[in-house]
Amino acid sequence: MAKARVFNIVKRFSGYPVEQDFELVEQQLKPLQDGEVLGKTLYLSVDPYMRIYVRNLPLGSPMIGGAVARIVESKNPQFKVGDIVYGRIGWRTAFVSDGKDLTKATHLPADVPESLAIGTLGMPGRTAYFGLLDVCKPLNPGAVVLVNGAAGAVGNVVGQIAKIKGCVAIGYAGSDEKVEYLKSIGFDHAFNYKKVDIHESLSKAAPDGVDAFFDNVGGDFADTVILRHMKQFGRVAICGSISQYNLKPESEAEGGKGLFDAVTKGPRLQGAILGHQLKVEGFIVLRFADRNDEANSALAQWVKEGKLKWREHVTEGFENMPKAFIAMLKGANIGKAIVKNTE
Ligand SMILES: NC(=O)c1ccc[n+]([C@@H]2O[C@H](COP(=O)([O-])OP(=O)(O)OC[C@H]3O[C@@H](n4cnc5c(N)ncnc54)[C@H](OP(=O)(O)O)[C@@H]3O)[C@@H](O)[C@H]2O)c1
């Protein structure tokens, strides 16, 4: 009978997660029933949203997350042995599923690793695609696009799509190496936000202001941009606010009910939003799920044409999931942070 290793969440995070918040257990998997498949996990995703969403998971639950897997046994006619699938599999090395939450990764070009189905050709890529092309529209050639968290899984794709659409791409990330990477994939301007003054650097890079601001970070960075750097009728896509995720909101200490509680207080932004007639819109990529095929094929086509480059930060070994997750939250990754199951 097949076994799986699984990470459970056993303590509430307080500030940055620590390895002791997770417990690695072994599970015996049940024999397959009709309609079920047995999958072996190949690549697992570590994502910022996990930091927030687990607040409402009962302690002792398996960690949530996307992964890529190979079907190794099938009693479901929709899947055959050897199929590569992706879905919300969780932090586990093997699983039995009825297949409802699994999608075959048929959109991947032949010469790319299967792991791209959780990266540039997966949820992060689609987030960049819909956030930029739908939430930030209209995106005319020459428009100035600004993205923070730019060297990460979502951010690097945002900048590259902006370039594909003939826009000016400006990115901010947290190290000089990341800045070099952004320039190497075509960003027009890239800055290390830990070293430069945001207002000064942006005044030089975009003297006439920003048309579309794709915000992955929130906090002071976003305040500065919205208050001082948006053009009239500019668009702000609120994709994430990672600068706030590892701070300690009151509610987290109390057991954490609110997923997106404000942690720090900022300036009032309403005047700037009104004065510059901005459209500020939060979005969650699942909203566009009925258009996943459209995004998958556009992203895959750009990869095939060499217009969209991909990069991964790979941690080997399932037992290193917590380490990889914590390192990603602290900025260790360039491109998509993933874990390779080496079993
Ligand atoms: N709305 C949606 O549907 C959706 C979907 C996917 C992701 N997201 C959001 O998009 C953002 C990026 O996600 P991702 O998967 O692409 O992660 P990622 O950028 O690959 O990894 C996280 C990065 O965040 C940066 N970071 C950490 N703390 C920071 C801070 N205090 N200030 C500024 N940057 C900080 C680090 O890079 P540096 O070295 O540059 O600091 C780190 O590498 C996150 O906010 C995430 O929640 C939203």
Side-chain angles (χ1 to χ4, degrees):
M1 218 183 290
K3 284 184 182 166
R5 289 194 291 159
V6 180
F7 270 106
N8 292 331
I9 173 91
V10 290
K11 278 198 199 132
R12 294 277 166 229
F13 302 147
S14 175
Y16 278 99
V18 294
E19 289 187 50
Q20 294 72 23
D21 296 333
F22 306 92
E23 184 183 45
L24 182 55
V25 296
E26 198 168 273
Q27 278 181 359
Q28 201 76 44
L29 296 175
K30 285 187 257 158
L32 290 196
Q33 305 294 309
D34 281 343
E36 290 184 333
V37 295
L38 173 65
K40 182 191 173 205
T41 314
L42 305 177
Y43 299 98
L44 300 102
S45 184
V46 285
D47 297 270
Y49 75 83
M50 296 168 178
R51 172 63 186 83
I52 307 167
Y53 274 83
V54 298
R55 279 186 195 157
N56 286 346
L57 269 189
L59 291 179
S61 304
M63 264 300 283
I64 51 166
V68 177
R70 179 183 296 116
I71 302 300
V72 292
E73 215 183 307
S74 179
K75 289 193 176 179
N76 180 325
Q78 284 171 358
F79 298 92
K80 62 180 190 314
V81 171
D83 279 349
I84 299 297
V85 297
Y86 64 91
R88 280 173 269 180
I89 289 165
W91 291 19
R92 53 177 83 241
T93 55
F95 57 91
V96 170
S97 160
D98 62 9
K100 285 190 185 132
D101 215 16
L102 299 175
T103 306
K104 286 193 230 178
T106 47
H107 65 295
L108 298 183
D111 54 350
V112 303
E114 292 138 350
S115 50
L116 258 62
I118 46 172
T120 295
L121 300 181
M123 182 278 282
R126 291 192 294 271
T127 303
Y129 180 93
F130 292 120
L132 191 59
L133 300 182
D134 273 72
V135 182
C136 290
K137 72 183 173 195
L139 208 66
N140 299 322
V144 176
V145 174
L146 167 66
V147 59
N148 48 17
V154 175
N156 85 81
V157 181
V158 170
Q160 294 190 79
I161 297 177
K163 291 308 299 173
I164 290 167
K165 296 292 175 186
C167 302
V168 175
I170 305 175
Y172 284 74
S175 74
D176 293 347
E177 193 191 353
K178 292 185 179 189
V179 166
E180 285 313 308
Y181 164 66
L182 294 179
K183 289 181 179 164
S184 78
I185 57 170
F187 277 71
D188 297 280
H189 305 277
F191 301 99
N192 178 346
Y193 70 86
K194 294 179 181 165
K195 284 192 173 170
V196 299
D197 181 89
I198 307 301
H199 172 58
E200 250 175 51
S201 55
L202 201 47
S203 301
K204 285 187 191 138
D208 299 325
V210 169
D211 294 281
F213 171 33
F214 193 108
D215 184 20
N216 286 318
V217 169
D220 291 343
F221 188 107
D223 291 345
T224 302
V225 175
I226 293 170
L227 281 176
R228 305 181 75 172
H229 291 279
M230 295 303 297
K231 281 189 195 171
Q232 278 285 325
F233 301 111
R235 283 81 61 203
V236 181
I238 308 281
C239 175
S241 52
I242 195 163
S243 68
Q244 310 295 293
Y245 295 172
N246 295 292
L247 305 176
K248 295 182 188 175
E250 288 300 310
S251 71
E252 192 166 74
E254 290 158 9
K257 292 295 171 217
L259 287 185
F260 293 101
D261 298 357
V263 183
T264 54
K265 291 193 171 62
R268 309 284 183 226
L269 296 176
Q270 289 86 345
I273 294 169
L274 169 66
H276 292 111
Q277 305 188 67
L278 305 180
K279 186 185 89 167
V280 180
E281 183 175 341
F283 76 100
I284 292 175
V285 64
L286 294 176
R287 186 209 301 185
F288 300 98
D290 61 338
R291 289 170 53 202
N292 278 357
D293 288 348
E294 169 200 324
N296 284 347
S297 50
L299 293 161
Q301 184 61 29
W302 289 327
V303 166
K304 274 193 228 162
E305 292 168 0
K307 292 179 181 165
L308 176 57
K309 309 265 190 288
W310 52 270
R311 182 160 164 172
E312 297 177 319
H313 179 92
V314 185
T315 302
E316 302 245 335
F318 178 75
E319 60 284 0
N320 293 317
M321 289 295 300
K323 274 197 185 80
F325 175 52
I326 296 161
M328 176 278 300
L329 291 173
K330 293 185 175 174
N333 58 306
I334 297 185
K336 175 70 187 123
I338 58 165
V339 174
K340 182 176 183 183
N341 179 17
T342 49
E343 278 180 5

